Amino acid sequence: MAKAGEIVADVMKSLQGVITAGVMTKELEQFADERIRVLGGKSAFKGYRGYPSSICTSVNEVVVHGIPSSRKLKEGDIISIDIGVYYEGFFGDAAYTFPVGAVDPNTSKLLRVTEEALFLGIDMAVEGNRLYDISHAIQGHVEKNGFSVVRTFVGHGIGRQLHEEPQVPNFGIAGQGPRLRQGMTLAIEPMVNAGTFEVRVLDDGWTAVTQDGRRSAHFEHTVVVMPNAARILTNLS
Ligand code: MF3
Ligand code: CO
């Protein structure tokens, strides 16, 4: 899982240099697909329940599961990149929302708060805590800052499958849920909307957009529960 996570992180970092105004999201996918292969992995998403692409590219009001296309990025856009990799029997999964050039102040706050919420959630992923301590930390930070957490998509256990038990919601009551044990591996992934939490799925069956058309951000890491601090397997640094 550590190796799968390393590949995810490498591809994410490499994409950062390619994300710029004028680039098509399908060019990002081609780049990522090639890099995953060079590093010895395989996309975890392509063919998963019929998903047609190697990564997800979700622009502006797209919350998650945006399908790479000939859409070109514009200055001021945001793009959430979600990458899942399979390597020798195990999975890694991460997402990061990038600004395209300069973005407006509220958008930049949305990105900052969502990433902070992810790390506050990860801080709670320690042995002895309860699962919804993670959820509660994420929700509290997001709502305190005037944004909303998506309900219809959640984080998940991960390991020999991309999606395992338990579901990891981004909202919940502290002190509730299963007890966290050392070695549990979770994909924690807040999806945060600037406006309403409500989403709808487009006719392609995948693309999830905000009901109100306002923007959405998504940050995700694959982590291992440990006694004092979780180990992040998809660390970008
Ligand atoms: N990171 C997302 C998840 O864990 C991406 C899934 S995309 C899919 O659910 F294509 F694989 F469904
Ligand atoms: Co995930």
Side-chain angles (χ1 to χ4, degrees):
M1 283 191 74
K3 179 67 183 176
E6 258 176 48
I7 295 173
V8 170
D10 178 299
V11 177
M12 192 70 79
K13 276 187 287 188
S14 317
L15 273 172
Q16 184 161 19
V18 189
I19 292 172
T20 178
V23 77
M24 290 184 279
T25 54
K26 71 180 182 195
E27 296 177 294
L28 299 176
E29 193 235 353
Q30 283 157 7
F31 178 90
D33 194 55
E34 169 71 15
R35 182 107 194 112
I36 292 170
R37 224 194 321 270
V38 163
L39 295 171
K42 198 168 158 287
S43 165
F45 296 169
K46 190 160 194 147
Y48 180 86
R49 296 179 181 233
Y51 184 73
S53 188
S54 294
I55 62 171
C56 303
T57 54
S58 303
V59 178
N60 295 344
E61 77 287 357
V62 181
V63 179
V64 287
H65 304 162
I67 300 171
S69 71
S70 52
R71 177 174 183 163
K72 280 186 180 162
L73 297 179
K74 295 198 303 283
E75 172 89 13
D77 282 348
I78 54 172
I79 179 167
S80 304
I81 303 280
D82 196 339
I83 301 172
V85 162
Y86 173 85
Y87 180 83
E88 292 189 1
F90 292 94
F91 287 87
D93 188 8
Y96 195 97
T97 303
F98 298 92
V100 181
V103 297
D104 68 81
N106 196 51
T107 294
S108 109
K109 180 183 172 192
L110 177 68
L111 303 190
R112 175 178 58 79
V113 167
T114 308
E115 187 173 22
E116 286 169 354
L118 170 59
F119 281 99
L120 289 169
I122 292 172
D123 284 345
M124 302 307 284
V126 293
E127 181 164 54
N129 277 358
R130 299 278 186 170
L131 183 66
Y132 302 153
D133 290 334
I134 298 172
S135 315
H136 181 78
I138 291 169
Q139 180 179 22
H141 189 64
V142 168
E143 293 180 352
K144 191 177 74 197
N145 281 282
F147 300 134
S148 67
V149 294
V150 170
R151 295 346 191 221
T152 44
F153 300 100
V154 296
H156 48 96
I158 178 170
R160 290 188 178 275
Q161 303 293 331
L162 175 62
H163 294 136
E164 297 182 358
E165 292 290 300
Q167 293 195 356
V168 184
N170 297 300
F171 55 95
I173 300 170
Q176 294 196 5
R179 185 81 69 185
L180 298 176
R181 307 281 182 203
Q182 178 167 358
M184 287 179 170
T185 43
L186 303 172
I188 304 175
E189 48 179 318
M191 289 145 271
V192 175
N193 295 352
T196 177
F197 68 86
E198 286 170 298
V199 306
R200 69 190 169 90
V201 176
L202 300 186
D203 288 340
D204 62 19
W206 284 102
T207 312
V209 299
T210 57
Q211 281 280 17
D212 60 8
R214 296 183 66 189
R215 291 179 167 196
S216 186
H218 181 204
F219 287 81
E220 174 179 24
H221 275 307
T222 297
V223 310
V224 191
V225 173
M226 299 291 285
N228 296 309
R231 177 176 167 199
I232 301 175
L233 298 181
T234 45
N235 222 330
L236 298 179
S237 50

